[in-house]
Amino acid sequence: MKFKIEDLHAEAVVVAAQFHKAESRLISILQEMDGHAEFRTLKCSSLFDYGVKVLKLSEANTLNFIAIARKSKTVPELKQAIDNGVLTVSKARKITSVITVENQKHWISLAQDLSKNNLEKEVARVCPKEAVTERAQYVAENRVKLTIGISDEILTLLKRVQDLESQRTRSAASYEDTIKQALKVYIDKLDPVEKARRAVSKVNKTSQNIIPDHTDFEHVPGHAQIPFHREIIPQKLKHQVFLRDKGKCTKKSCENSRWIEIHHVIPISRGGTNELPNLTTLCSSHHRQLHGGRPELPKAPA
């Protein structure tokens, strides 16, 4: 069969149209999933988690689609421009940081008329923070190139810490040395896991060895509710919980270490207590899911 460029071109036009339609539909789906937090029913802690782990999108594409989906809730014309073929997803993403209901016509028009580079310059002129795209890129097995934009204030702080670190070590500290030391100090002072480790180290080894594994909160039966008085969890007990659970969400398949909260396996309202076996750490998403998505919560055994 003789090759015909016209046939190949016609097929490409059809496929491209389907591609743009699929992008628009995906944005709509993500809006709905985000609005009702339906991703939690699929064992995902966030919409980003859903996009990467379930939909198998790249992290960059997931972030782009989520940004457009959320911005389009307040500025519906942004998605409408994509639906109508006026804007591509990549250009729509460029203006999510600056577009509002009041200036939407201006930015949609600019995004339509300007090249990608010129659009980036215009956005950076209005919103300087957008001039540099944050990125972490591996350049070797254990080396990462980190690209960020920072303010004059942060640069001043960084240089001050650099001076102090140089004085402490009696050698010229690089930016990498400075950031490493600053992060170590921060972790040492504010990381609940590190604070817990120091607190527990002050207790004798016998006390340390009785810390049990966390209870699987998904397999405790019960339903009745009883009167209760909630007491504040002692700091010493919080230390033990964070140390045992390593400051991560204990929900199966979730290893989030951000926005971590302490959860009562058996709620206080159902006879639970502030005791180590009854406490576990969850990310805020799974914590809300557990309290908002189950008709029956466990109670303490009789």
Side-chain angles (χ1 to χ4, degrees), residues 2 8 14 48 60 83 86 99 106 115 117 120 155 161 191 201 208 218 235 240 245 250 252 258 264 270 275 291 301:
K2 186 177 180 180
L8 191 61
V14 172
F48 176 80
D83 294 344
V86 174
I99 191 171
H106 170 71
S115 67
N117 288 340
E120 288 178 344
L155 180 60
V161 177
D191 183 0
S201 67
Q208 294 181 43
E218 295 182 305
Q235 193 64 41
Q240 290 180 297
D245 298 342
T250 56
K252 291 179 179 178
R258 185 177 296 187
H264 289 83
R270 289 166 172 77
E275 296 179 341
H291 284 290

Side-chain angles (χ1 to χ4, degrees), residues 48 51-52 57-68 89 93 133-135:
F48 176 80
V52 174
L57 298 172
S58 68
E59 292 187 359
N61 282 336
T62 300
L63 290 172
N64 288 342
F65 281 118
I66 290 176
I68 295 171
V89 167
R93 175 66 179 94
T133 300
E134 293 187 354
R135 185 180 184 187

Side-chain angles (χ1 to χ4, degrees), residues 226-279:
I226 62 175
F228 72 98
H229 172 68
R230 183 178 297 277
E231 296 181 353
I232 297 176
I233 302 174
Q235 193 64 41
K236 179 180 179 181
L237 187 54
K238 288 183 180 180
H239 286 329
Q240 290 180 297
V241 176
F242 277 113
L243 183 60
R244 181 197 63 197
D245 298 342
K246 299 179 176 61
K248 296 181 179 181
C249 179
T250 56
K251 181 75 166 64
K252 291 179 179 178
S253 76
C254 180
E255 295 186 352
N256 281 348
S257 57
R258 185 177 296 187
W259 300 302
I260 296 301
E261 302 168 357
I262 292 181
H263 164 71
H264 289 83
V265 177
I266 300 174
I268 297 295
S269 61
R270 289 166 172 77
T273 61
N274 282 340
E275 296 179 341
L276 186 59
N278 193 47
L279 301 173

Side-chain angles (χ1 to χ4, degrees), residues 122-253:
E122 189 63 22
V123 171
R125 184 182 66 81
V126 176
C127 184
K129 288 183 66 175
E130 297 297 315
V132 178
T133 300
E134 293 187 354
R135 185 180 184 187
Q137 179 183 15
Y138 274 94
V139 293
E141 183 178 357
N142 61 347
R143 295 291 297 174
V144 176
K145 177 182 178 182
L146 182 63
T147 304
I148 60 172
I150 61 176
S151 65
D152 287 339
E153 178 186 7
I154 295 176
L155 180 60
T156 299
L157 291 173
L158 180 60
K159 288 186 174 181
R160 175 54 179 159
V161 177
Q162 186 179 33
D163 290 342
L164 294 173
E165 180 63 6
S166 297
Q167 182 173 335
R168 185 184 73 85
T169 60
R170 301 300 180 186
S171 63
S174 65
Y175 280 151
E176 180 179 3
D177 297 331
T178 304
I179 293 173
K180 179 180 179 180
Q181 184 61 24
L183 294 178
K184 288 178 64 176
V185 171
Y186 185 96
I187 293 295
D188 185 59
K189 296 292 184 181
L190 298 177
D191 183 0
V193 175
E194 290 301 319
K195 291 167 69 175
R197 185 172 287 114
R198 290 196 301 272
V200 171
S201 67
K202 297 178 182 179
V203 182
N204 60 55
K205 293 183 178 180
T206 301
S207 298
Q208 294 181 43
N209 291 335
I210 64 173
I211 299 178
D213 291 337
H214 71 268
T215 304
D216 186 347
F217 63 81
E218 295 182 305
H219 296 89
V220 184
H223 55 81
Q225 183 168 344
I226 62 175
F228 72 98
H229 172 68
R230 183 178 297 277
E231 296 181 353
I232 297 176
I233 302 174
Q235 193 64 41
K236 179 180 179 181
L237 187 54
K238 288 183 180 180
H239 286 329
Q240 290 180 297
V241 176
F242 277 113
L243 183 60
R244 181 197 63 197
D245 298 342
K246 299 179 176 61
K248 296 181 179 181
C249 179
T250 56
K251 181 75 166 64
K252 291 179 179 178
S253 76

